[in-house]
Amino acid sequence: MKSIRKLSRYISIGLFIGLFMPMNVWSQDKRIKPPKRKSKITSVDNFVKHSFELYHKVFVYDSLTKVGVEVPAEIEDELMERAERDADSLWQEVPDIAEAISDAPFMKQAKATFNLNRTKKALRFCMLSVKAYFMGTEDDEDN
């Protein structure tokens, strides 16, 4: 009987803390890590490498702006130039990816698919962040 009371007390304390915890603690952005193993398909590995270089630049810029650091215009222009070069190098790799994956053995195809799925998450973050900075948010439009 005492164990049930202790258990219910712990559950109620946990719920109390969980409900009154600030929501921004739950919505922290974590950096997506690049895949540990290469697929050994050159075009896929290059695409993943260039994607995560672009992701790193966007993530750093996003982190700085969320903290409230004023990024100097020169650094911002340099970041944009590098990001544009990375995006161009991504487009150069895209045509070869499908053919290279289809010609590869099954295990290499599986690794390549896994790596591309992780890359898709990183590129989605880049797209949403860049869109938010150039288009603005609804809060910016209200002010």
Side-chain angles (χ1 to χ4, degrees):
M1 203 57 155
K2 287 183 180 183
S3 63
I4 293 175
R5 286 184 190 168
K6 285 184 180 182
L7 180 62
S8 65
R9 184 178 300 157
Y10 289 132
I11 290 174
S12 62
I13 290 172
L15 286 174
F16 180 76
I17 291 172
L19 291 175
F20 292 108
M21 187 181 291
M23 291 302 284
N24 62 0
V25 172
W26 291 337
S27 63
Q28 291 180 355
D29 290 336
K30 292 184 180 179
R31 180 174 284 192
I32 301 171
K33 295 181 182 179
K36 293 179 182 177
R37 295 182 180 173
K38 294 186 176 189
S39 65
K40 298 179 184 170
I41 300 174
T42 307
S43 59
V44 173
D45 292 336
N46 288 338
F47 183 80
V48 170
K49 182 181 109 186
H50 293 302
S51 297
F52 276 95
E53 287 173 358
L54 176 63
Y55 170 74
H56 175 69
K57 290 174 181 79
V58 172
F59 187 84
V60 168
Y61 182 78
D62 185 52
S63 299
L64 289 174
T65 55
K66 281 185 180 179
V67 172
V69 174
E70 186 71 31
V71 180
E74 300 85 29
I75 295 174
E76 193 171 308
D77 292 341
E78 179 71 23
L79 283 172
M80 293 305 286
E81 287 179 24
R82 288 183 182 178
E84 187 176 337
R85 275 188 264 140
D86 288 342
D88 289 341
S89 63
L90 285 177
W91 283 112
Q92 292 174 358
E93 297 293 333
V94 168
D96 302 330
I97 290 176
E99 184 178 335
I101 289 176
S102 64
D103 294 341
F106 177 74
M107 289 305 291
K108 287 184 181 180
Q109 287 179 354
K111 285 181 188 176
T113 303
F114 175 76
N115 292 352
L116 288 174
N117 283 336
R118 186 162 295 176
T119 301
K120 182 174 74 170
K121 292 178 186 177
L123 291 176
R124 183 178 297 134
F125 173 81
C126 293
M127 180 187 67
L128 293 175
S129 297
V130 169
K131 183 179 175 183
Y133 289 119
F134 287 118
M135 298 293 199
T137 59
E138 292 177 10
D139 296 336
D140 295 339
E141 294 171 2
D142 292 340
N143 292 332

